[in-house]
Amino acid sequence: MIDFLNTPVGVLALTVAQALAILVPLLIGVAYMTWAERKIMAAMQLRKGPNVVGPFGLLQPFADAAKMLMKETIVPTGASRVLFIMAPMLTFVLAMIAWAVIPVNEGWAIADINVGVLYLFAISSLGVYGIIIAGWASNSKYAFLGALRSAAQMVSYEVSMGFVIVTVLLCVGSLNLTDIVLAQKGLWFFIPLFPMFIIFFISTLAETNRAPFDLPEGESELVAGFFVEYSAMTFALFFLGEYANMILMSSLTTILFLGGWLPPFDVAPLNWVPGPVWFILKICLCLFTFVWVRATFPRYRYDQLMRLGWKVFLPISLVWLVLTAAVLKIFGWLPA
Amino acid sequence: MIAGLAFYAFAAVLIASAVMVVTSRNPVHSVLFLILGFFNAAALFLIAGAEFLAMILVIVYVGAVAVLFLFVVMMLDIDFAQLRQGFQRYAPIGAVIGGILFLELVFVLGAWQSSGQSEGLRLNPTPADVQNTAAIGRVLYTEYVFLFQAAGLILLVAMIGAIVLTHRDRPRSRRQDIDAQVSRRTQLDMANVPVGASIGQLGILRPLPPEQPKPKAVAQDHGDHGHGGHH
């Protein structure tokens, strides 16, 4: 068995098995994220939400998926066919490949690479291409406006997100995700870096195009924004990609600020619970906040969105970065 | 062997996409091929063991610079027929300039020899326990910190210069004073409303709008028949 795993075929088989072990739970998680969002928002709006298909509407996501598969994929005349089909695939694939580096427990990452944070940051900054290409290839005014908005929005919020990540890296002294989690033993980073935690969370909302920053798809002014021309599976891929990105950003928040798989206190009943359970619980907490925000806040106006990104978050995160560096240096807390 | 094959695969795609950047008819396709080229260059960095450079290439060029490129190119209103019209006329000039650049590259490559110091360095690659992120940081921020900061300062000055040159103050544009809006508390009233009740049942009424000077009534001149009042 060990011999087989060392052959090239064995390595390939092992990698495929690992990828499936993380992608299958992820896709089920995405399916139930859509269900949970509808249920939570229904509860917040004094409705019942999906409750017909299966007990408590638990089979609703699968009914939706089956419906999507049955529909016809329509490619508009005048659309750039190859790019039009490629855009949703790109969105979906990018949302999946980022999971290669997420450590679910100590040593439980498919690829535990040195520059894990940079890899995640790079992949999340690529997400904008699926949207831009979709908007351009649709050859539709609404889709194009949505794409332009999203391009400007994602580039703006990436800057402050980058500074937040640098602040965390200063406290850790490593770009490795496992090291970042292990550095939070005893004190999770959201306590000393609380303002950065808030900025990071709001920036992830903007980065995933979620309410109140869902201007790229603002249905009241752009119909559906960049995916107005999409139907059936191509639409479903955008949808899956958006929710997978939400889960990804929640896991990134968990790793950077909420101590990853670590229990809140390293005491008897809490540290009996296995690490992945804590990890999933923290992701669920973040996701609940995503939905909570969506059910609570109205959509931002576009110029206010830009103001928040460039004139509020960027200066605050820059000052906090310098402050953190100074404090670490003065008290000699810089990691070796 | 796998690394070698991967190198040739990525290098081949890199060159092919570079050619496509120049030859594709649609500028948006050109930018997309450019992005593909960046990706393959990042992959080559990865094969060379420079994972930090690879990630930074993707983040900076693909994630930010190329987005802005694409942004601008998509908004250009280009007449493709017109774009290709002058090809015959400009081809010789282009060929001459290209030829000169190519010759310069050949000369540079011919005259290039590595210094004795770098020969020494080649024998001492970065030790295995130093990650290349730390190695680059040490070179840029410890050994050459003043040069590096000076370069950054020059870029900053250039950026400010560009802003100063292009900025126009538009006196007629109206600005929103967010602080004034947020600090305006006189009319807001927080009320704890039980679930399911409407604020009308609780006797909470919408606050009246602030007293404003009535717009001046337009003088009604009934003697004026110029508006076409006769029918």
Side-chain angles (χ1 to χ4, degrees):
Chain A
M1 184 67 193
I2 301 292
D3 288 341
F4 170 70
L5 287 180
N6 285 330
T7 61
V9 180
V11 170
L12 188 70
L14 188 68
T15 314
V16 169
Q18 283 174 328
L20 285 178
I22 200 144
L23 288 183
V24 171
L26 173 67
L27 287 176
I28 293 174
V30 166
Y32 277 100
M33 182 58 215
T34 64
W35 175 84
E37 178 171 38
R38 292 165 75 176
K39 272 292 188 192
I40 295 169
M41 283 191 44
M44 287 176 179
Q45 295 164 353
L46 302 178
R47 297 182 285 117
K48 284 213 189 313
N51 62 351
V52 175
V53 190
F56 306 107
L58 274 172
L59 297 177
Q60 184 71 43
F62 299 102
D64 289 342
K67 189 189 92 173
M68 290 283 191
L69 279 171
M70 299 297 166
K71 297 252 173 182
E72 181 190 355
T73 304
I74 299 168
V75 182
T77 353
S80 176
R81 289 186 74 91
V82 178
L83 291 179
F84 186 82
I85 302 293
M86 208 182 81
M89 286 160 62
L90 188 69
T91 306
F92 183 71
V93 168
L94 284 175
M96 296 292 126
I97 61 173
W99 284 87
V101 296
I102 299 281
V104 184
N105 198 355
E106 191 160 1
W108 282 26
I110 297 180
D112 194 16
I113 60 176
N114 288 336
V115 287
V117 178
L118 287 182
Y119 175 81
L120 279 181
F121 194 54
I123 297 296
S124 75
S125 68
L126 293 181
V128 66
Y129 281 109
I131 295 173
I132 299 188
I133 293 174
W136 184 79
S138 301
N139 201 11
S140 146
K141 294 283 181 292
Y142 290 125
F144 188 59
L145 284 172
L148 288 185
R149 281 182 173 190
S150 126
Q153 173 179 332
M154 292 176 93
V155 171
S156 308
Y157 279 84
E158 236 160 57
V159 184
S160 53
M161 250 176 98
F163 280 126
V164 174
I165 291 178
V166 171
T167 315
V168 173
L169 297 182
L170 270 179
C171 302
V172 179
S174 168
L175 292 165
N176 183 302
L177 292 169
T178 307
D179 289 348
I180 291 177
V181 173
L182 289 179
Q184 299 181 57
K185 246 177 194 162
L187 185 64
W188 297 354
F189 283 149
F190 86 96
I191 298 170
L193 301 176
F194 189 71
M196 298 308 254
F197 172 59
I198 299 296
I199 288 182
F200 188 79
F201 184 74
I202 298 176
S203 299
T204 57
L205 289 178
E207 195 76 3
T208 49
N209 292 326
R210 287 284 299 182
F213 304 112
D214 54 347
L215 289 124
E217 52 192 87
E219 55 277 302
S220 55
E221 61 243 52
L222 291 181
V223 191
F226 61 89
F227 53 65
V228 65
E229 303 291 348
Y230 282 88
S231 58
M233 261 335 266
T234 49
F235 174 77
L237 284 181
F238 270 124
F239 206 71
L240 291 176
E242 182 185 329
Y243 280 81
N245 264 330
M246 274 165 64
I247 302 180
L248 176 71
M249 283 298 168
S250 301
S251 68
L252 188 56
T253 313
T254 305
I255 289 169
L256 289 179
F257 290 102
L258 298 178
W261 61 82
L262 299 173
F265 301 101
D266 202 6
V267 291
L270 290 179
N271 58 17
W272 292 343
V273 180
V277 175
W278 283 119
F279 192 72
I280 291 169
L281 278 178
K282 289 170 189 175
I283 290 181
C284 288
L285 180 74
C286 293
L287 287 173
F288 176 78
T289 322
F290 268 77
V291 178
W292 191 7
V293 167
R294 180 177 169 193
T296 309
F297 292 114
R299 186 175 297 134
Y300 255 63
R301 212 174 59 203
Y302 194 72
D303 62 314
Q304 290 174 335
L305 172 92
M306 283 294 153
R307 175 184 172 275
L308 187 70
W310 289 106
K311 293 189 181 172
V312 180
F313 283 177
L314 187 60
I316 292 179
S317 54
L318 198 55
V319 166
W320 196 268
L321 171 65
V322 175
L323 199 71
T324 311
V327 166
L328 290 176
K329 180 78 188 162
I330 290 169
F331 290 96
W333 293 337
L334 271 177
Chain B
M1 189 200 65
I2 291 177
L5 281 180
F7 170 78
Y8 283 113
F10 286 125
V13 177
L14 175 59
I15 293 173
S17 57
V19 171
M20 288 305 287
V21 171
V22 186
T23 54
S24 50
R25 286 158 182 254
N26 192 328
V28 173
H29 293 173
S30 285
V31 178
L32 292 176
F33 276 115
L34 182 68
I35 293 162
L36 185 63
F38 284 145
F39 256 113
N40 286 284
L44 291 184
F45 273 133
L46 270 188
I47 292 174
E51 71 260 13
F52 182 75
L53 282 183
M55 292 305 153
I56 290 296
L57 183 74
V58 173
I59 291 172
V60 174
Y61 282 93
V62 183
V65 175
V67 172
L68 295 180
F69 252 49
L70 201 57
F71 199 94
V72 173
V73 167
M74 283 196 316
M75 287 200 289
L76 294 177
D77 187 22
I78 300 171
D79 185 3
F80 296 116
Q82 202 189 8
L83 201 67
R84 302 189 66 77
Q85 219 172 31
F87 182 75
Q88 298 273 329
R89 198 146 54 93
Y90 293 120
I93 308 173
V96 168
I97 294 175
I100 292 172
L101 283 176
F102 181 72
L103 276 181
E104 282 178 351
L105 278 178
V106 169
F107 287 143
V108 166
L109 213 61
W112 183 58
Q113 46 185 215
S114 48
S115 70
Q117 274 179 312
S118 69
E119 282 297 325
L121 281 177
R122 190 185 284 180
L123 300 175
N124 307 313
T126 326
D129 56 326
V130 175
Q131 290 179 10
N132 62 53
T133 315
I136 288 175
R138 219 166 275 168
V139 172
L140 282 185
Y141 287 98
T142 308
E143 289 177 29
Y144 296 106
V145 61
F146 293 115
L147 292 175
F148 188 69
Q149 295 291 334
L153 208 63
I154 291 169
L155 284 176
L156 180 69
V157 169
M159 191 179 80
I160 294 174
I163 293 173
V164 168
L165 285 176
T166 53
H167 181 74
R168 278 188 207 90
D169 196 34
R170 273 165 281 170
R172 293 191 61 190
S173 71
R174 314 185 72 173
R175 293 203 167 79
Q176 184 184 17
D177 190 348
I178 302 244
D179 291 332
Q181 282 186 348
V182 172
S183 58
R184 184 189 58 181
R185 286 270 175 226
T186 49
Q187 297 168 49
L188 282 179
D189 226 350
M190 298 293 273
N192 199 359
V193 179
V195 173
S198 79
I199 55 170
Q201 290 168 357
L202 297 173
I204 302 171
L205 294 175
R206 203 176 271 259
L208 290 169
E211 203 67 31
Q212 277 187 346
K214 289 242 170 66
K216 275 190 194 133
V218 180
Q220 297 280 318
D221 187 359
H222 293 285
D224 179 21
H225 300 288
H227 293 295
H230 284 299
H231 284 294

